[in-house]
Amino acid sequence: MYDIKAVLFDMDGVMVDSNPYHRRAWPIYGKKIGLEINEELMEKHVYGHTNHDALENLFNKKLDKTLTNKLGEEKEAIYRDLIKADLKPVDGLIDFIKFLKEKDIKMAVASSAPRSNIDFILDSFNIRSAFKVIVDGNMVKSGKPNPEIFLKAAEMLGYSSAECLVIEDSLAGVEAGRRAGMPTAGITTTHSKEELAPVAFADQNFTNFKELFLQLSK
């Protein structure tokens, strides 16, 4: 399906089905900081965005990054506490990573998540060594759907956009991959195939990595 040399992985909703836990963590944290955060607000302002952008959206004003980093880490501590007992990779992820390593296809994490959460997942799944490059939300000026994070990951790997496959779950993330000029696969942990394709023009959508593996191995 793709003639690729690198795969750029989002993390939340791609490596781990974490969104149900973020969905629980945001309202809990919102109460602590005086915000009522519901599903509609999360769909519009949180999913696929950096914590800085999400918090600016939720407060509806510009915020200093030092403050949003502090607030974001407080919220992420709640998320990690909620998910730790149920932590497991998305179906087929580990075998898919092994397949890419065997094919000498380079891998990068390109996630809006803070580094603390990325480290938590990579170390929990013992897959850190598979990734040559890690780009987190604090390493870019503009969050998704801006394509900056994927363009930066591709540049750090040394490949062109056309040589990189993006794997995403959010509408903002799939749109960012498309705007980066990269083939983009949507994993349907967060949105259905129908929701992903018409809105963000994903090239292909998959339920899990087993389906994606079958396509790439043809």
Side-chain angles (χ1 to χ4, degrees), residues 65-76:
K65 276 204 168 184
T66 302
L67 174 62
T68 56
N69 285 341
K70 176 180 180 295
L71 296 177
E73 282 302 322
E74 291 174 357
K75 176 263 163 183
E76 299 310 337

Side-chain angles (χ1 to χ4, degrees), residues 41-83:
L41 285 175
M42 288 187 286
E43 285 283 354
K44 187 175 182 181
H45 295 309
V46 173
Y47 299 144
H49 297 282
T50 64
N51 279 342
H52 174 75
D53 289 346
L55 287 162
E56 283 196 334
N57 290 337
L58 292 169
F59 278 103
N60 195 28
K61 63 180 180 180
K62 291 291 183 182
L63 298 171
D64 180 77
K65 276 204 168 184
T66 302
L67 174 62
T68 56
N69 285 341
K70 176 180 180 295
L71 296 177
E73 282 302 322
E74 291 174 357
K75 176 263 163 183
E76 299 310 337
I78 295 172
Y79 151 74
R80 291 192 294 270
D81 187 59
L82 289 172
I83 198 174

Side-chain angles (χ1 to χ4, degrees), residues 103-118:
K103 296 294 184 182
D104 198 29
I105 296 173
K106 305 306 179 187
M107 289 171 271
V109 178
S111 170
S112 299
R115 182 57 67 98
S116 57
N117 282 4
I118 295 173

Side-chain angles (χ1 to χ4, degrees), residues 125-215:
F125 296 163
N126 195 29
I127 55 175
R128 179 183 294 276
S129 63
F131 295 93
K132 185 178 180 181
V133 164
I134 299 172
V135 184
D136 63 56
N138 289 323
M139 294 171 66
V140 295
K141 292 180 180 179
S142 301
K144 304 167 187 175
N146 188 292
E148 181 185 0
I149 196 165
F150 294 129
L151 294 173
K152 185 176 184 68
E155 180 182 8
M156 291 172 70
L157 285 171
Y159 293 116
S160 68
S161 292
E163 295 173 312
C164 297
L165 170 66
V166 167
I167 304 179
E168 264 287 356
D169 71 301
S170 71
L171 301 180
V174 173
E175 184 178 349
R178 178 182 62 83
R179 289 171 61 183
M182 300 175 180
T184 303
I187 297 292
T188 59
T189 52
T190 306
H191 296 279
S192 69
K193 291 183 179 182
E194 292 73 25
E195 288 173 320
L196 283 172
V199 176
F201 308 103
D203 299 281
Q204 293 286 336
N205 296 313
F206 302 91
T207 303
N208 55 47
F209 285 96
K210 289 182 178 179
E211 288 186 13
L212 183 54
F213 169 80
L214 289 174
Q215 291 292 327

